[in-house]
Amino acid sequence: MTKGERVAHYFELASMPEHLPYDSSHFKLELDISDEDIENYRQEMESRLSMRPTEKRDIVVKQVIKPLLKKHGFTTSGMDWRREIEDGYVIIHMMNSQFNDIYTGVSFRFHISAVKKDEIRDKLSNQWIYNQTCDLRQFAFLPYCGMLSPYYSGDMYTIDGYKNYLPSDTPVEEICGQIGVDFEKYILPELCKVQCYPQ
């Protein structure tokens, strides 16, 4: 095997369930590879990514989230959307993780709440901050609370990041498709039923 093939085989062995989370240094000895070889291979895999995780998230927002919300009567201001109801607003706020990078992937969630018009504090775009004790997250609307989604991570969607010690590269079309179904089939139909502030 070439050195590249040996390094690739190292990652296959190190990521096998029976070898996790144990020390895999003996595989380096058996395959005659160094830490530098491993890091160079990782860097090469990163350079081959179709796009960065943040770019994929931005495509999801631009091509899926914004058009769907607009179609269902929501207006936008940055990463906030609102739909006016009889006596208030339904509010959706998108929040990004502060730890987004090539290693962890990009994570984001949606805070979903409602407010009466006469109870709005500060600006409407900041109301989600005051609603955090009573808001819902996107997975509350999905079957099994979204745990079957390939992008489920706690209460956030997570795109790519390192898996089995190497960067993953999910096709952006697959991500758009799944999140589109989440919103169009499960989340938005429930939100559009809301015509007045829940009593």
Side-chain angles (χ1 to χ4, degrees):
M1 286 193 290
T2 66
K3 180 182 285 188
E5 290 171 336
R6 296 200 305 274
V7 175
H9 188 49
Y10 163 81
F11 282 106
E12 290 173 4
L13 293 171
S15 62
M16 293 174 70
E18 60 266 32
H19 298 148
L20 294 173
Y22 306 110
D23 180 19
S24 58
S25 58
H26 61 286
F27 294 134
K28 299 177 197 174
L29 294 173
E30 292 171 14
L31 295 166
D32 189 26
I33 57 174
S34 67
D35 288 336
E36 185 179 358
D37 295 327
I38 290 169
E39 185 55 32
N40 288 340
Y41 187 82
R42 283 195 182 108
Q43 293 297 321
E44 182 183 349
M45 292 299 102
E46 282 188 22
S47 71
R48 294 183 185 179
L49 291 174
S50 60
M51 61 184 77
R52 310 289 280 189
T54 51
E55 293 176 295
K56 293 181 182 180
R57 176 206 56 206
D58 293 346
I59 288 173
V60 169
V61 172
K62 183 178 180 181
Q63 297 184 5
V64 177
I65 302 298
K66 285 188 174 181
L68 280 176
L69 290 174
K70 183 178 180 181
K71 174 183 171 184
H72 287 83
F74 284 82
T75 57
T76 183
S77 173
M79 290 294 100
D80 295 284
W81 295 269
R82 64 191 68 107
R83 183 174 67 84
E84 188 171 4
I85 54 179
E86 184 179 309
D87 55 352
Y89 294 90
V90 174
I91 299 170
I92 300 175
H93 172 76
M94 180 178 171
M95 176 180 283
N96 287 287
S97 169
Q98 59 181 320
F99 303 110
N100 290 336
D101 60 35
I102 194 70
Y103 301 103
T104 62
V106 62
S107 297
F108 55 96
R109 68 182 177 225
F110 296 89
H111 291 252
I112 301 168
S113 61
V115 63
K116 283 186 174 182
K117 290 178 179 176
D118 59 4
E119 294 180 358
I120 295 171
R121 299 192 226 175
D122 194 6
K123 296 182 295 185
L124 183 56
S125 60
N126 289 338
Q127 184 61 41
W128 72 272
I129 298 170
Y130 304 103
N131 291 0
Q132 289 184 79
T133 58
C134 58
D135 66 7
L136 297 171
R137 308 293 162 80
Q138 69 280 351
F139 291 125
F141 296 84
L142 304 184
Y144 301 99
C145 295
M147 289 186 286
L148 299 181
S149 169
Y151 312 110
Y152 175 89
S153 181
D155 67 346
M156 304 188 94
Y157 283 113
T158 297
I159 296 172
D160 289 343
Y162 267 54
K163 292 182 176 69
N164 296 329
Y165 309 110
L166 289 172
S168 56
D169 193 10
T170 309
V172 70
E173 296 81 10
E174 290 183 15
I175 302 166
C176 287
Q178 180 62 60
I179 294 178
V181 167
D182 289 353
F183 271 80
E184 192 156 36
K185 185 175 181 180
Y186 299 107
I187 299 172
L188 286 168
E190 292 302 312
L191 296 183
C192 289
K193 291 177 183 177
V194 179
Q195 298 301 319
C196 60
Y197 187 84
Q199 300 301 319

Short mmCIF file of all heavy atoms in Angstrom, two decimals, residues 66 101 108 113 142 145 153 159 161 164 167 177 184 186:
data_model
loop_
_atom_site.label_atom_id
_atom_site.label_comp_id
_atom_site.label_asym_id
_atom_site.label_seq_id
_atom_site.Cartn_x
_atom_site.Cartn_y
_atom_site.Cartn_z
N LYS A 66 -36.09 31.05 4.09
CA LYS A 66 -36.71 32.33 3.75
C LYS A 66 -37.87 32.19 2.78
O LYS A 66 -38.95 32.75 3.01
CB LYS A 66 -35.65 33.30 3.22
CG LYS A 66 -34.75 33.85 4.31
CD LYS A 66 -33.84 34.94 3.80
CE LYS A 66 -33.05 35.56 4.95
NZ LYS A 66 -32.15 36.65 4.52
N ASP A 101 -17.29 25.80 13.48
CA ASP A 101 -16.03 25.77 12.74
C ASP A 101 -15.96 24.46 11.96
O ASP A 101 -16.89 23.66 11.97
CB ASP A 101 -14.81 25.95 13.65
CG ASP A 101 -14.69 24.87 14.73
OD1 ASP A 101 -15.05 23.70 14.47
OD2 ASP A 101 -14.23 25.20 15.84
N PHE A 108 -27.25 25.45 14.49
CA PHE A 108 -28.20 26.55 14.60
C PHE A 108 -29.55 25.99 15.02
O PHE A 108 -29.84 24.81 14.85
CB PHE A 108 -28.32 27.31 13.28
CG PHE A 108 -28.67 26.45 12.09
CD1 PHE A 108 -29.98 26.33 11.67
CD2 PHE A 108 -27.69 25.76 11.41
CE1 PHE A 108 -30.32 25.54 10.58
CE2 PHE A 108 -28.01 24.96 10.31
CZ PHE A 108 -29.33 24.85 9.90
N SER A 113 -42.02 31.45 19.17
CA SER A 113 -42.86 31.93 20.26
C SER A 113 -43.93 32.87 19.71
O SER A 113 -44.01 33.11 18.51
CB SER A 113 -42.01 32.65 21.31
OG SER A 113 -41.36 33.77 20.75
N LEU A 142 -41.46 18.08 15.37
CA LEU A 142 -41.13 16.96 14.50
C LEU A 142 -41.41 15.62 15.16
O LEU A 142 -41.39 15.51 16.39
CB LEU A 142 -39.66 17.02 14.10
CG LEU A 142 -39.18 18.31 13.43
CD1 LEU A 142 -37.72 18.17 13.01
CD2 LEU A 142 -40.04 18.67 12.24
N CYS A 145 -39.47 14.18 18.26
CA CYS A 145 -38.72 15.39 18.61
C CYS A 145 -37.48 15.58 17.75
O CYS A 145 -36.47 16.12 18.20
CB CYS A 145 -38.33 15.37 20.10
SG CYS A 145 -39.76 15.44 21.19
N SER A 153 -28.92 17.46 16.76
CA SER A 153 -27.86 17.49 17.77
C SER A 153 -28.37 18.28 18.96
O SER A 153 -28.30 19.51 18.99
CB SER A 153 -26.59 18.13 17.21
OG SER A 153 -25.56 18.14 18.19
N ILE A 159 -24.70 20.76 10.80
CA ILE A 159 -24.28 20.39 9.45
C ILE A 159 -22.78 20.09 9.45
O ILE A 159 -21.98 20.93 9.87
CB ILE A 159 -24.59 21.51 8.44
CG1 ILE A 159 -26.10 21.74 8.35
CG2 ILE A 159 -24.01 21.19 7.07
CD1 ILE A 159 -26.49 22.96 7.53
N GLY A 161 -18.98 18.92 10.02
CA GLY A 161 -18.05 18.76 11.14
C GLY A 161 -17.30 17.45 10.99
O GLY A 161 -17.53 16.67 10.06
N ASN A 164 -15.71 10.49 12.69
CA ASN A 164 -14.68 9.45 12.60
C ASN A 164 -13.32 10.06 12.27
O ASN A 164 -12.58 9.55 11.43
CB ASN A 164 -15.06 8.38 11.58
CG ASN A 164 -16.31 7.62 11.99
OD1 ASN A 164 -16.59 7.44 13.18
ND2 ASN A 164 -17.10 7.21 11.01
N PRO A 167 -13.18 15.25 8.21
CA PRO A 167 -14.27 16.16 7.88
C PRO A 167 -15.33 15.48 7.02
O PRO A 167 -15.01 14.74 6.09
CB PRO A 167 -13.58 17.29 7.11
CG PRO A 167 -12.34 16.69 6.57
CD PRO A 167 -11.91 15.66 7.58
N GLY A 177 -33.17 19.51 1.38
CA GLY A 177 -34.35 18.65 1.26
C GLY A 177 -34.93 18.29 2.62
O GLY A 177 -36.14 18.41 2.84
N GLU A 184 -41.91 22.55 5.98
CA GLU A 184 -43.13 22.58 5.17
C GLU A 184 -44.17 21.56 5.64
O GLU A 184 -45.37 21.82 5.61
CB GLU A 184 -42.80 22.35 3.70
CG GLU A 184 -43.96 22.64 2.78
CD GLU A 184 -43.50 22.99 1.37
OE1 GLU A 184 -42.51 22.40 0.90
OE2 GLU A 184 -44.15 23.84 0.75
N TYR A 186 -44.15 19.83 8.82
CA TYR A 186 -44.43 19.74 10.26
C TYR A 186 -44.51 21.08 10.99
O TYR A 186 -45.44 21.31 11.75
CB TYR A 186 -43.36 18.86 10.93
CG TYR A 186 -43.31 17.46 10.42
CD1 TYR A 186 -42.27 17.04 9.58
CD2 TYR A 186 -44.31 16.54 10.74
CE1 TYR A 186 -42.23 15.74 9.09
CE2 TYR A 186 -44.28 15.24 10.26
CZ TYR A 186 -43.24 14.84 9.43
OH TYR A 186 -43.20 13.56 8.95
#
